Amino acid sequence: IHTKPVQETVQAKTVSEQIPQDTTESEQQTHTQKTESKNGKIYTNPQDFVKDMTEAYTKALTARGISTDYAKMLVAQDALESNWGKSSLAKDFNFGGIKAVKGAPFVEKETKEYDSKKGMHKTKSKFRKFNSLDDYVNYKIDLLSGKRYQAFTEAPSQFYFRVKAGGYATDPNYVEKLINVYNSSILSAKQGGNIPSRIDVLVTEFNKRFNK
């Protein structure tokens, strides 16, 4: 599975679905119920976000025989990408800012990308829509397990480096930001692989390994 590089943070506001004005009251009610049942959860409590995401990742990783030490690391990445589940993409269960491949359901949003010429700039991209939290979690693990990333092939301490090297995000400070989120907010939950807190050492190692 391949996607284009993913941005750091989604900036767009949610665009609500509109019910056609010429429908009957009963038809409007049915439409509303279907819309609500397909929508994801916009989190307001970081603790709830961590709990739900950790449980989902732990279940999916276990089913694949992958160490559950990665669960909290994946949650920290989603926390950064979705602002702890508050992103407009959360209603489509896309907590990782994953871009849509051709033919997949998508929603177009404004986001921020980085390149050496323009720096950080705004652009519009198509983001994948998912049917459920489990749908999203399984897709993301399969994505990061693929040839492009091979993110689960080394020790958990190398996970973020491999994600960055595969082009998941364009932000040059992506690894540092992920580690900061993990160490400051996720690790306290007492599950997940330890990552050294010395950011400078990790960034130096990343530069040596991948020449970024």
Side-chain angles (χ1 to χ4, degrees), residues 80-183:
L80 178 63
E81 292 283 352
S82 70
N83 189 21
W84 300 93
K86 297 177 183 178
S87 162
S88 61
L89 291 178
K91 74 181 186 67
D92 294 311
F93 298 99
N94 190 341
F95 297 101
I98 294 176
K99 300 285 182 64
V101 296
K102 186 176 181 180
F106 70 89
V107 59
E108 191 171 35
K109 300 289 184 183
E110 186 178 81
T111 182
K112 287 184 177 181
E113 299 280 1
Y114 175 88
D115 65 44
S116 57
K117 294 182 179 179
K118 296 181 180 179
M120 195 67 74
H121 62 283
K122 292 182 179 180
T123 185
K124 285 188 177 181
S125 297
K126 295 177 180 178
F127 293 90
R128 177 69 183 262
K129 296 176 70 174
F130 296 95
N131 296 319
S132 66
L133 177 57
D134 286 339
D135 182 26
Y136 162 73
V137 164
N138 282 289
Y139 183 95
K140 183 175 179 182
I141 292 176
D142 288 342
L143 172 68
L144 296 181
S145 298
K147 184 177 180 180
R148 174 177 172 178
Y149 295 102
Q150 302 180 57
F152 305 106
T153 58
E154 295 186 20
S157 61
Q158 300 302 312
F159 176 73
Y160 290 146
F161 297 118
R162 301 191 72 81
V163 169
K164 170 60 178 171
Y168 194 98
T170 58
D171 185 348
N173 298 314
Y174 193 62
V175 172
E176 180 177 350
K177 290 179 179 179
L178 288 171
I179 294 172
N180 278 332
V181 172
Y182 180 86
N183 283 340

Side-chain angles (χ1 to χ4, degrees), residues 35-121:
T35 299
E36 290 175 349
S37 66
K38 291 171 65 177
N39 283 353
K41 179 178 180 180
I42 305 295
Y43 286 86
T44 57
N45 187 319
Q47 287 73 31
D48 291 340
F49 175 81
V50 172
K51 179 179 180 296
D52 289 352
M53 299 302 292
T54 301
E55 290 177 355
Y57 276 122
T58 299
K59 176 183 175 182
L61 289 167
T62 300
R64 288 166 172 76
I66 300 174
S67 172
T68 55
D69 284 351
Y70 291 103
K72 290 291 185 181
M73 304 184 76
L74 288 159
V75 175
Q77 184 182 19
D78 286 346
L80 178 63
E81 292 283 352
S82 70
N83 189 21
W84 300 93
K86 297 177 183 178
S87 162
S88 61
L89 291 178
K91 74 181 186 67
D92 294 311
F93 298 99
N94 190 341
F95 297 101
I98 294 176
K99 300 285 182 64
V101 296
K102 186 176 181 180
F106 70 89
V107 59
E108 191 171 35
K109 300 289 184 183
E110 186 178 81
T111 182
K112 287 184 177 181
E113 299 280 1
Y114 175 88
D115 65 44
S116 57
K117 294 182 179 179
K118 296 181 180 179
M120 195 67 74
H121 62 283

Side-chain angles (χ1 to χ4, degrees), residues 154 158 161-162 204-212:
E154 295 186 20
Q158 300 302 312
F161 297 118
R162 301 191 72 81
T204 298
E205 179 182 350
F206 176 77
N207 289 333
K208 289 181 179 178
R209 287 170 58 85
F210 300 109
N211 295 318
K212 297 292 183 180

